Amino acid sequence: MKTIIKWFLSAKKLAKWSADGVQTAINSSSLSQYADKYGEVAKRITEVQTWLVEMLKDGKIDDIERAEIEARLVPVFDKLLEVI
């Protein structure tokens, strides 16, 4: 069965079908109007995640760092709630 599936499918075909599906779904719906909003939220979350990873290099989070995390997450959650 695996051989048959692998004969008909490939990573390239699955990627093409997925990309076609995403393109069709976005282009044929009103979702494109939200792309900018969600993209900005995703960008901000990535920035916070990168900052947090840098903070965790020593393996610990002290009270000052915890307060920084809280302060930086408030705008992210404000934006997320605004978008929803």
Side-chain angles (χ1 to χ4, degrees), residues 1-80:
M1 185 67 164
K2 274 184 166 180
T3 306
I4 294 171
I5 290 172
K6 287 183 179 182
W7 190 57
F8 286 107
L9 297 177
S10 68
K12 179 78 173 162
K13 281 183 185 178
L14 291 172
K16 182 191 179 315
W17 292 338
S18 297
D20 289 346
V22 169
Q23 179 185 31
T24 301
I26 295 296
N27 291 346
S28 66
S29 73
S30 61
L31 295 176
S32 60
Q33 68 184 352
Y34 300 110
D36 188 43
K37 287 183 182 179
Y38 289 117
E40 190 58 39
V41 170
K43 179 182 172 187
R44 183 73 178 123
I45 290 170
T46 300
E47 289 170 1
V48 170
Q49 179 185 9
T50 301
W51 170 76
L52 186 57
V53 166
E54 286 297 315
M55 184 184 295
L56 291 172
K57 282 187 175 180
D58 68 355
K60 304 221 185 256
I61 295 178
D62 60 30
D63 290 339
I64 294 171
E65 290 171 329
R66 192 213 56 79
E68 289 178 37
I69 292 169
E70 181 181 344
R72 290 190 72 162
L73 286 175
V74 169
V76 173
F77 289 121
D78 281 342
K79 186 68 174 175
L80 181 63

